[in-house]
Amino acid sequence: MMPAVIDRSEVRRLMAEENALLIEVLPAVDYDAEHIMGAINLPIKELNAQTTAHLDKHHPLIVYCWDMQ
Amino acid sequence: MDWLAFALPTEGPDAEKPRASDVLRRDVPTCRLDDSIGDVQSRLEGTDWAVCGVINEQNILLGMLRGKCWDAPPDAMAGDVMREGPSTIRPNEDLAAVSGRMQKRNVTALFVTSSDGRLIGLLRREDAEEALRNTRS
């Protein structure tokens, strides 16, 4: 499935209705300071087949950063 | 970040820092562009509000009424006398940083809006300073 850009309303809907997993890709220091409630941390530099193998792909996976840049 | 600007839930130590959303007044009076100054003043009578946000049907902040706006004739429309495009802040802004800026610029209050311009409330400098004093004590 191809990734799609979604807004905060869709994020909330997916979390509430489809048990989506939120993944923050910022560095751990940023994640540790503050992150969206319920999100896990997978810094973008560490994203690969091994570090994502354990993720449940039967539910939506939402990746987010500070903004869209 | 859009999520923070809409005061949606976060966690972590920085989530505990006081923000504008913790102290803002959500009951700031509002009116529409075609409301008369006289009607708006009547509604503010007896309250401690000297400022009013001018909003549209989508709750987008368009301007504000304060100070010399109230000297306009009672039948003048809010849209004709308001101060357009008031400075705004987002609800997630760090309260200490905002308070410092308000002190430096001698600003007594700032409207708080979402990132798409919808009015959320008003942050008064006195409320921000009191909250910060309480946090430090």
Side-chain angles (χ1 to χ4, degrees):
Chain A
M1 174 177 281
M2 290 298 291
V5 176
I6 59 175
D7 63 14
R8 68 182 176 282
S9 300
E10 183 64 1
V11 169
R12 299 181 78 188
R13 188 194 71 76
L14 288 170
M15 291 177 75
E17 299 177 12
E18 298 189 35
N19 204 24
L21 176 65
L22 267 178
I23 303 168
E24 179 171 308
V25 295
L26 289 167
V29 62
D30 294 312
Y31 172 85
D32 289 341
E34 186 175 17
H35 53 269
I36 294 178
M37 193 166 282
I40 66 168
N41 185 217
L42 267 178
I44 197 164
K45 292 183 179 178
E46 299 172 22
L47 272 180
N48 55 51
Q50 285 75 42
T51 60
T52 59
H54 68 287
L55 298 177
D56 182 359
K57 297 174 181 63
H58 293 101
H59 297 282
L61 301 175
I62 303 171
V63 175
Y64 78 93
C65 187
W66 184 250
D67 57 26
M68 290 182 67
Q69 297 300 315
Chain B
M1 181 197 293
D2 196 52
W3 189 271
L4 294 174
F6 277 80
L8 292 171
T10 60
E11 53 192 0
D14 280 7
E16 303 304 316
K17 288 185 179 177
R19 301 186 203 270
S21 59
D22 297 330
V23 187
L24 62 88
R25 292 274 304 266
R26 296 179 188 271
D27 60 338
V28 60
T30 60
C31 68
R32 298 293 177 82
L33 289 167
D34 56 357
D35 284 343
S36 73
I37 293 298
D39 284 346
V40 179
Q41 283 179 311
S42 297
R43 283 196 277 126
L44 266 55
E45 227 169 273
T47 71
D48 62 349
W49 289 106
V51 64
C52 179
V54 184
I55 59 173
N56 67 8
E57 298 76 20
Q58 287 79 41
N59 203 38
I60 304 290
L61 182 69
L62 304 173
M64 68 174 176
L65 298 172
R66 58 166 288 187
K68 290 185 178 174
C69 297
W70 303 121
D71 295 337
D75 59 347
M77 289 200 296
D80 291 334
V81 302
M82 70 181 185
R83 296 188 189 185
E84 293 187 34
S87 296
T88 61
I89 59 171
R90 303 295 155 264
N92 61 293
E93 291 210 35
D94 181 84
L95 191 62
V98 169
S99 178
R101 292 202 310 267
M102 293 173 85
Q103 283 178 10
K104 191 175 177 181
R105 297 172 189 172
N106 199 24
V107 168
T108 57
L110 282 170
F111 282 102
V112 183
T113 63
S114 61
S115 56
D116 61 357
R118 292 176 203 276
L119 179 63
I120 298 174
L122 187 82
L123 176 68
R124 301 191 310 179
R125 193 171 102 199
E126 60 189 279
D127 295 337
E129 290 172 349
E130 182 181 355
L132 290 167
R133 278 195 299 271
N134 292 340
T135 302
R136 292 177 191 131
S137 61

